[in-house]
Amino acid sequence: FVRQTARGPVWVPCEFDIDSEGHAQIVGGSRCHKYPALAEKVATPILEAALPLLAKLRRPQLLLDRRRLQIVFKAQRIILPPKVHEDDEPEYIGMWHVDGHREDVAAVVLYYYHVDPALEGGDMELCGREPFDILAMADAGDNSFEFDHRRLKEALSGEKQRLPHCRVPIQAGTLLVFSNHQMVHRVLRMINNGKSEASRDFVALFILNPASEALVPARCALAKPYMLTRVLRLKALTPDNIQAILSLAGFLPTDDESKSLRNAMLLEQLEPTSEFASRGN
């Protein structure tokens, strides 16, 4: 879930303690997340399954033994409309990106628990960030204006691949772990061949960088509404009435308000922040 700050909306992370045997325990009890039972039942086993893969990352190298991690927990869905006419190809095409906006996401864990059989394609493609992070205009000599989408496509495909990249097929049960500091990623073209709406559903865990400044965790962000909720329950108020009071008091946004904040964050994150060539081109 999301909270508003002076810098704008930010995700509120859960916290997990990792022991020396590779087990994860969510921290905060009933304040571990806005939906604590869901977070404990879903996020904890996925994180435990991903720990051996997270331990293999080298950029960054995460120290997981007896550590507390901050993790943003999301459930996401890609929905494609039905194929109405024979020549229709309802499609989804992702764009190159890294995760996180005001959050420093070190690594990403994706678990796909449902993929509709009517969906075709949709592999995840990953590419090393090094060329984009370290190359400057001076490195291109006098041919910088030749760098366009066609040249980039050539570098990523064909016999003369110049950029390290890979693609991962996605199916129900796929667990994917990768470094957000080292890789950019995108979903390749996915189409719906069925006569009804189809979806690909997955859980995302965004592992925040332990070396960066910690965000306000759920157990702290929910402390005031938790205490007020306990008091209001003594008055035999309904959950809807309690939610309305918490929202009016500014302690906890409603689901609609949270959705608006998430949409605002997405639109802000989708705004271009740079370009392949400078000098106004």
Side-chain angles (χ1 to χ4, degrees), residues 91-156:
E91 66 178 11
Y92 174 89
I93 302 175
M95 62 180 182
W96 289 111
H97 69 284
V98 293
D99 287 306
H101 183 44
R102 296 183 178 89
E103 310 83 10
D104 183 4
V105 177
V108 178
V109 176
L110 302 176
Y111 175 69
Y112 297 85
Y113 61 90
H114 170 76
V115 178
D116 195 289
L119 296 177
E120 178 184 336
D123 290 358
M124 181 72 77
E125 186 173 25
L126 300 104
C127 176
R129 291 177 56 174
E130 295 90 341
F132 306 104
D133 288 342
I134 65 175
L135 292 181
M137 180 68 71
D139 297 311
D142 59 357
N143 65 342
S144 60
F145 293 103
E146 297 179 15
F147 187 38
D148 56 17
H149 71 281
R150 180 183 59 82
R151 297 293 295 274
L152 180 60
K153 185 176 181 179
E154 290 177 356
L156 289 170

XYZ file of all heavy atoms in Angstrom, residues 91-156:
531
model
N -3.197 -7.420 -27.722
C -1.803 -7.612 -27.334
C -1.403 -6.721 -26.175
O -2.050 -5.709 -25.876
C -0.883 -7.330 -28.526
C -0.897 -5.884 -28.990
C 0.053 -5.613 -30.138
O 0.583 -6.572 -30.729
O 0.264 -4.426 -30.456
N -0.339 -7.132 -25.529
C 0.326 -6.327 -24.493
C 1.808 -6.339 -24.812
O 2.392 -7.403 -25.041
C 0.074 -6.909 -23.100
C 0.854 -6.202 -22.006
C 0.333 -5.100 -21.346
C 2.132 -6.647 -21.638
C 1.039 -4.455 -20.353
C 2.853 -5.996 -20.654
C 2.306 -4.902 -20.014
O 3.019 -4.258 -19.041
N 2.416 -5.159 -24.834
C 3.851 -5.041 -25.079
C 4.441 -4.153 -23.985
O 4.037 -2.997 -23.835
C 4.147 -4.438 -26.463
C 3.511 -5.291 -27.572
C 5.648 -4.334 -26.684
C 3.658 -4.715 -28.961
N 5.378 -4.693 -23.226
C 5.996 -3.917 -22.159
C 7.106 -3.024 -22.690
O 7.553 -3.151 -23.832
N 7.544 -2.097 -21.855
C 8.643 -1.213 -22.233
C 9.814 -1.441 -21.280
O 9.650 -1.902 -20.150
C 8.201 0.248 -22.187
C 7.775 0.737 -20.826
S 7.278 2.470 -20.884
C 6.900 2.763 -19.150
N 11.010 -1.108 -21.764
C 12.196 -1.250 -20.929
C 12.048 -0.358 -19.694
O 11.692 0.817 -19.786
C 13.448 -0.835 -21.688
C 13.871 -1.780 -22.766
C 13.842 -1.577 -24.115
C 14.420 -3.089 -22.578
N 14.331 -2.676 -24.788
C 14.694 -3.628 -23.872
C 14.705 -3.874 -21.461
C 15.233 -4.887 -24.059
C 15.241 -5.133 -21.657
C 15.508 -5.626 -22.931
N 12.354 -0.915 -18.535
C 12.266 -0.116 -17.317
C 13.030 -0.804 -16.190
O 13.402 -1.976 -16.285
C 10.807 0.095 -16.901
C 10.124 -1.149 -16.414
N 9.685 -2.151 -17.264
C 9.809 -1.560 -15.153
C 9.124 -3.109 -16.556
N 9.200 -2.781 -15.268
N 13.261 -0.038 -15.142
C 13.704 -0.580 -13.865
C 12.611 -0.268 -12.861
O 11.818 0.655 -13.051
C 15.059 0.018 -13.403
C 16.173 -0.417 -14.318
C 14.981 1.535 -13.318
N 12.531 -1.040 -11.796
C 11.479 -0.857 -10.808
C 11.911 0.121 -9.718
O 13.094 0.241 -9.398
C 11.087 -2.203 -10.193
C 10.287 -3.057 -11.155
O 9.261 -2.559 -11.659
O 10.689 -4.208 -11.414
N 10.910 0.798 -9.165
C 11.172 1.779 -8.123
C 11.188 3.181 -8.685
O 11.624 3.416 -9.816
N 10.705 4.112 -7.903
C 10.699 5.525 -8.302
C 11.380 6.338 -7.212
O 12.502 6.806 -7.391
C 9.264 5.986 -8.545
C 9.142 7.393 -9.028
N 9.964 7.905 -10.009
C 8.303 8.399 -8.676
C 9.642 9.176 -10.237
N 8.639 9.491 -9.435
N 10.727 6.468 -6.090
C 11.380 7.084 -4.921
C 11.983 6.012 -4.022
O 12.589 6.331 -3.006
C 10.370 7.928 -4.138
C 9.826 9.114 -4.930
C 8.880 9.965 -4.111
N 8.430 11.097 -4.886
C 7.341 11.068 -5.668
N 6.615 9.961 -5.742
N 6.980 12.131 -6.357
N 11.814 4.762 -4.413
C 12.336 3.642 -3.643
C 13.553 3.054 -4.363
O 13.513 2.894 -5.581
C 11.259 2.553 -3.479
C 9.914 3.046 -2.975
C 9.031 3.601 -4.084
O 9.385 3.424 -5.274
O 8.000 4.213 -3.767
N 14.593 2.733 -3.612
C 15.790 2.122 -4.189
C 15.620 0.608 -4.157
O 15.915 -0.053 -3.166
C 17.026 2.554 -3.401
C 18.323 2.011 -4.009
O 18.258 1.366 -5.076
O 19.387 2.240 -3.409
N 15.116 0.063 -5.268
C 14.861 -1.383 -5.358
C 16.142 -2.083 -5.806
O 16.651 -1.831 -6.897
C 13.722 -1.672 -6.347
C 13.510 -3.180 -6.490
C 12.431 -0.996 -5.888
N 16.649 -2.967 -4.962
C 17.887 -3.676 -5.270
C 17.634 -4.915 -6.116
O 18.402 -5.223 -7.026
C 18.607 -4.070 -3.978
N 16.570 -5.639 -5.818
C 16.284 -6.889 -6.522
C 14.777 -7.077 -6.623
O 14.003 -6.503 -5.854
C 16.924 -8.071 -5.807
N 14.385 -7.914 -7.577
C 12.963 -8.154 -7.850
C 12.693 -9.655 -7.817
O 13.457 -10.445 -8.372
C 12.557 -7.579 -9.226
C 11.087 -7.876 -9.520
C 12.825 -6.075 -9.283
N 11.598 -10.022 -7.164
C 11.120 -11.408 -7.152
C 9.725 -11.415 -7.762
O 8.841 -10.675 -7.316
C 11.069 -11.973 -5.716
C 10.468 -13.383 -5.722
C 12.447 -11.973 -5.078
N 9.520 -12.230 -8.785
C 8.215 -12.350 -9.436
C 7.779 -13.808 -9.399
O 8.525 -14.696 -9.822
C 8.279 -11.876 -10.888
C 8.732 -10.430 -11.133
C 8.841 -10.158 -12.621
C 7.780 -9.440 -10.472
N 6.568 -14.058 -8.898
C 6.010 -15.408 -8.900
C 4.689 -15.383 -9.661
O 3.752 -14.674 -9.289
C 5.777 -15.935 -7.483
C 5.085 -17.282 -7.483
C 5.747 -18.418 -7.940
C 3.765 -17.409 -7.051
C 5.121 -19.650 -7.973
C 3.131 -18.646 -7.075
C 3.812 -19.761 -7.540
O 3.182 -20.975 -7.581
N 4.613 -16.160 -10.738
C 3.429 -16.199 -11.597
C 2.556 -17.383 -11.173
O 2.937 -18.536 -11.370
C 3.844 -16.325 -13.061
C 4.642 -15.141 -13.546
C 6.023 -15.080 -13.344
C 4.024 -14.072 -14.182
C 6.758 -13.977 -13.764
C 4.750 -12.976 -14.613
C 6.119 -12.934 -14.400
O 6.850 -11.845 -14.810
N 1.396 -17.086 -10.588
C 0.544 -18.167 -10.090
C -0.608 -18.494 -11.036
O -1.279 -19.521 -10.863
C 0.005 -17.836 -8.698
C -0.847 -16.590 -8.608
C -2.223 -16.645 -8.783
C -0.273 -15.353 -8.317
C -3.012 -15.506 -8.691
C -1.051 -14.216 -8.216
C -2.419 -14.299 -8.413
O -3.188 -13.158 -8.315
N -0.837 -17.667 -12.055
C -1.868 -17.978 -13.047
C -1.493 -17.375 -14.390
O -1.181 -16.182 -14.483
C -3.234 -17.426 -12.621
C -4.271 -17.506 -13.712
N -4.897 -18.681 -14.053
C -4.775 -16.558 -14.560
C -5.746 -18.463 -15.043
N -5.688 -17.183 -15.376
N -1.497 -18.190 -15.419
C -1.308 -17.728 -16.793
C -2.393 -18.385 -17.633
O -2.432 -19.610 -17.752
C 0.084 -18.091 -17.345
C 0.214 -17.636 -18.794
C 1.179 -17.452 -16.498
N -3.280 -17.591 -18.201
C -4.384 -18.137 -18.987
C -3.834 -18.895 -20.205
O -2.928 -18.401 -20.891
C -5.300 -17.000 -19.450
C -6.644 -17.514 -19.943
O -6.675 -18.126 -21.032
O -7.644 -17.305 -19.240
N -4.347 -20.094 -20.487
C -3.840 -20.883 -21.626
C -3.992 -20.181 -22.969
O -3.277 -20.522 -23.924
C -4.697 -22.156 -21.574
C -5.197 -22.243 -20.168
C -5.360 -20.830 -19.705
N -4.913 -19.225 -23.071
C -5.129 -18.535 -24.345
C -4.038 -17.514 -24.650
O -3.957 -17.019 -25.777
C -6.494 -17.837 -24.341
N -3.201 -17.215 -23.690
C -2.150 -16.220 -23.888
C -0.945 -16.852 -24.577
O -0.512 -17.949 -24.226
C -1.727 -15.605 -22.558
C -2.804 -14.801 -21.828
C -2.279 -14.307 -20.490
C -3.280 -13.636 -22.679
N -0.399 -16.131 -25.538
C 0.767 -16.591 -26.292
C 1.862 -15.535 -26.226
O 1.591 -14.342 -26.373
C 0.386 -16.849 -27.744
C 1.537 -17.291 -28.623
C 1.132 -17.455 -30.080
O -0.061 -17.681 -30.345
O 2.014 -17.334 -30.955
N 3.108 -15.974 -26.013
C 4.223 -15.034 -25.928
C 4.366 -14.486 -24.519
O 4.052 -15.156 -23.534
N 4.869 -13.254 -24.429
C 4.999 -12.615 -23.124
C 6.227 -13.020 -22.341
O 6.233 -12.914 -21.105
N 7.282 -13.480 -23.034
C 8.524 -13.774 -22.323
C 9.045 -12.506 -21.649
O 8.797 -11.384 -22.112
C 9.596 -14.292 -23.281
C 9.281 -15.681 -23.812
O 8.247 -16.256 -23.409
O 10.066 -16.184 -24.632
N 9.771 -12.696 -20.569
C 10.442 -11.569 -19.918
C 11.844 -11.439 -20.512
O 12.608 -12.413 -20.543
C 10.545 -11.795 -18.410
C 11.219 -10.658 -17.663
S 10.203 -9.174 -17.562
C 9.043 -9.674 -16.269
N 12.174 -10.253 -20.999
C 13.499 -10.001 -21.559
C 14.275 -9.114 -20.597
O 13.745 -8.118 -20.082
C 13.406 -9.330 -22.926
C 14.766 -9.179 -23.604
C 14.662 -8.673 -25.034
O 13.668 -7.997 -25.366
O 15.588 -8.957 -25.819
N 15.531 -9.468 -20.353
C 16.394 -8.713 -19.447
C 17.673 -8.331 -20.179
O 18.207 -9.116 -20.964
C 16.730 -9.531 -18.197
C 15.527 -9.970 -17.355
C 15.244 -11.442 -17.590
C 15.762 -9.703 -15.873
N 18.157 -7.134 -19.894
C 19.358 -6.634 -20.560
C 20.228 -5.932 -19.531
O 19.728 -5.205 -18.657
C 18.974 -5.659 -21.682
S 20.376 -4.880 -22.510
N 21.548 -6.150 -19.618
C 22.468 -5.494 -18.710
C 22.407 -3.977 -18.831
O 22.323 -3.440 -19.935
N 22.452 -3.281 -17.705
C 22.357 -1.819 -17.703
C 23.676 -1.139 -18.001
O 23.711 0.066 -18.251
C 21.862 -1.320 -16.336
C 20.441 -1.654 -16.019
C 20.042 -1.191 -14.638
N 20.261 0.244 -14.437
C 19.881 0.906 -13.353
N 19.267 0.267 -12.373
N 20.109 2.201 -13.226
N 24.781 -1.885 -17.999
C 26.095 -1.255 -18.050
C 26.277 -0.278 -19.215
O 26.737 0.854 -18.990
C 27.198 -2.328 -18.102
C 27.296 -3.190 -16.854
C 26.417 -4.426 -16.944
O 25.489 -4.429 -17.771
O 26.655 -5.378 -16.186
N 25.914 -0.646 -20.447
C 26.163 0.311 -21.540
C 25.411 1.621 -21.362
O 25.900 2.691 -21.697
C 25.661 -0.450 -22.779
C 25.722 -1.886 -22.393
C 25.376 -1.908 -20.940
N 24.185 1.552 -20.804
C 23.387 2.759 -20.649
C 23.858 3.589 -19.458
O 23.695 4.803 -19.434
C 21.917 2.382 -20.481
C 21.409 1.499 -21.572
C 21.215 0.145 -21.354
C 21.149 2.003 -22.832
C 20.755 -0.681 -22.362
C 20.684 1.191 -23.852
C 20.494 -0.163 -23.623
N 24.432 2.918 -18.457
C 24.840 3.619 -17.244
C 26.205 4.287 -17.364
O 26.461 5.301 -16.726
C 24.875 2.644 -16.056
C 23.485 2.234 -15.611
O 22.525 2.954 -15.976
O 23.358 1.223 -14.915
N 27.112 3.721 -18.171
C 28.490 4.209 -18.144
C 28.913 4.905 -19.426
O 29.919 5.613 -19.436
C 29.469 3.050 -17.851
C 29.453 2.021 -18.990
C 29.146 2.382 -16.533
C 30.483 0.915 -18.821
N 28.173 4.712 -20.534
C 28.577 5.338 -21.783
C 28.086 6.781 -21.845
O 26.963 7.085 -21.463
C 28.021 4.559 -22.980
C 28.605 3.163 -23.201
C 27.970 2.526 -24.425
C 30.119 3.219 -23.358
N 28.910 7.658 -22.325
C 28.556 9.063 -22.491
C 28.700 9.442 -23.952
O 29.160 8.667 -24.790
C 29.448 9.947 -21.611
N 28.338 10.695 -24.285
C 28.404 11.155 -25.672
C 29.822 11.026 -26.227
O 30.024 10.646 -27.380
C 27.931 12.604 -25.737
C 27.947 13.202 -27.135
S 26.715 12.463 -28.218
C 25.233 13.139 -27.501
N 30.831 11.318 -25.399
C 32.215 11.293 -25.879
C 32.648 9.889 -26.277
O 33.538 9.720 -27.116
C 33.149 11.841 -24.811
N 31.997 8.853 -25.708
C 32.379 7.485 -26.033
C 31.954 7.085 -27.447
O 32.451 6.109 -27.996
C 31.751 6.506 -25.030
C 32.267 6.744 -23.628
O 33.492 6.829 -23.467
O 31.452 6.861 -22.703
N 31.007 7.824 -28.037
C 30.482 7.464 -29.340
C 31.280 8.062 -30.488
O 31.007 7.767 -31.643
C 29.022 7.913 -29.448
N 32.255 8.908 -30.187
C 33.024 9.542 -31.253
C 32.144 10.487 -32.045
O 31.398 11.285 -31.484
N 32.204 10.393 -33.382
C 31.426 11.306 -34.208
C 30.186 10.644 -34.804
O 29.584 11.182 -35.738
C 32.300 11.862 -35.344
C 32.857 10.734 -36.226
O 32.598 9.563 -35.900
O 33.530 11.059 -37.223
N 29.800 9.459 -34.287
C 28.639 8.778 -34.872
C 27.486 8.645 -33.875
O 26.667 7.730 -33.979
C 29.031 7.399 -35.388
C 29.464 6.470 -34.261
O 29.787 6.935 -33.181
N 29.480 5.174 -34.542
N 27.396 9.547 -32.884
C 26.363 9.430 -31.857
C 24.963 9.552 -32.437
O 24.008 8.963 -31.920
C 26.560 10.498 -30.786
O 26.479 11.795 -31.334
N 24.809 10.300 -33.540
C 23.479 10.500 -34.108
C 23.009 9.281 -34.908
O 21.876 9.256 -35.378
C 23.460 11.747 -34.988
C 23.654 13.015 -34.194
C 24.868 13.666 -34.191
C 22.618 13.509 -33.426
C 25.049 14.824 -33.450
C 22.789 14.668 -32.689
C 24.001 15.333 -32.690
N 23.876 8.286 -35.050
C 23.463 7.043 -35.692
C 22.789 6.081 -34.710
O 22.302 5.026 -35.097
C 24.674 6.347 -36.321
C 25.332 7.151 -37.431
C 26.536 6.427 -38.010
O 26.670 5.206 -37.751
O 27.348 7.084 -38.693
N 22.780 6.468 -33.443
C 22.188 5.602 -32.412
C 20.675 5.837 -32.383
O 20.203 6.824 -31.844
C 22.805 5.920 -31.050
C 22.372 4.974 -29.960
C 22.210 3.623 -30.226
C 22.130 5.430 -28.679
C 21.828 2.747 -29.237
C 21.744 4.563 -27.679
C 21.589 3.218 -27.955
N 19.927 4.947 -33.011
C 18.484 5.067 -33.049
C 17.857 3.722 -32.693
O 18.552 2.780 -32.314
C 18.009 5.546 -34.420
C 18.514 4.633 -35.553
O 18.928 3.489 -35.252
O 18.490 5.070 -36.707
N 16.509 3.639 -32.794
C 15.834 2.409 -32.397
C 16.250 1.227 -33.260
O 16.302 0.080 -32.797
C 14.318 2.604 -32.468
C 13.767 2.698 -33.860
N 13.848 3.850 -34.616
C 13.157 1.767 -34.641
C 13.291 3.640 -35.797
N 12.874 2.392 -35.848
N 16.606 1.462 -34.534
C 17.013 0.369 -35.416
C 18.346 -0.215 -34.975
O 18.523 -1.434 -34.906
C 17.111 0.873 -36.854
C 17.542 -0.204 -37.856
C 17.682 0.383 -39.245
N 18.659 1.461 -39.275
C 19.979 1.269 -39.371
N 20.465 0.037 -39.423
N 20.812 2.299 -39.399
N 19.302 0.676 -34.644
C 20.624 0.203 -34.193
C 20.517 -0.505 -32.849
O 21.222 -1.482 -32.587
C 21.584 1.389 -34.098
C 21.862 2.079 -35.433
C 22.629 1.156 -36.377
N 23.951 0.861 -35.875
C 25.033 1.632 -36.079
N 24.906 2.742 -36.811
N 26.198 1.303 -35.601
N 19.635 -0.002 -31.989
C 19.440 -0.655 -30.698
C 18.857 -2.047 -30.888
O 19.265 -3.008 -30.226
C 18.521 0.188 -29.812
C 18.228 -0.373 -28.410
C 19.522 -0.534 -27.625
C 17.259 0.517 -27.671
N 17.900 -2.183 -31.817
C 17.318 -3.495 -32.097
C 18.375 -4.448 -32.625
O 18.399 -5.631 -32.272
C 16.175 -3.336 -33.097
C 15.404 -4.626 -33.365
C 14.228 -4.378 -34.279
C 13.451 -5.665 -34.507
N 12.275 -5.433 -35.384
N 19.267 -3.954 -33.481
C 20.345 -4.804 -34.001
C 21.275 -5.266 -32.883
O 21.765 -6.396 -32.883
C 21.146 -4.036 -35.053
C 20.400 -3.794 -36.356
C 21.223 -2.964 -37.325
O 22.329 -2.537 -36.929
O 20.770 -2.752 -38.459
N 21.520 -4.384 -31.929
C 22.422 -4.727 -30.827
C 21.816 -5.786 -29.917
O 22.538 -6.526 -29.253
C 22.763 -3.471 -30.025
N 20.477 -5.847 -29.888
C 19.810 -6.776 -28.989
C 19.436 -8.090 -29.663
O 18.976 -9.014 -28.996
C 18.543 -6.129 -28.412
C 18.765 -5.015 -27.397
C 17.459 -4.305 -27.090
C 19.368 -5.572 -26.118
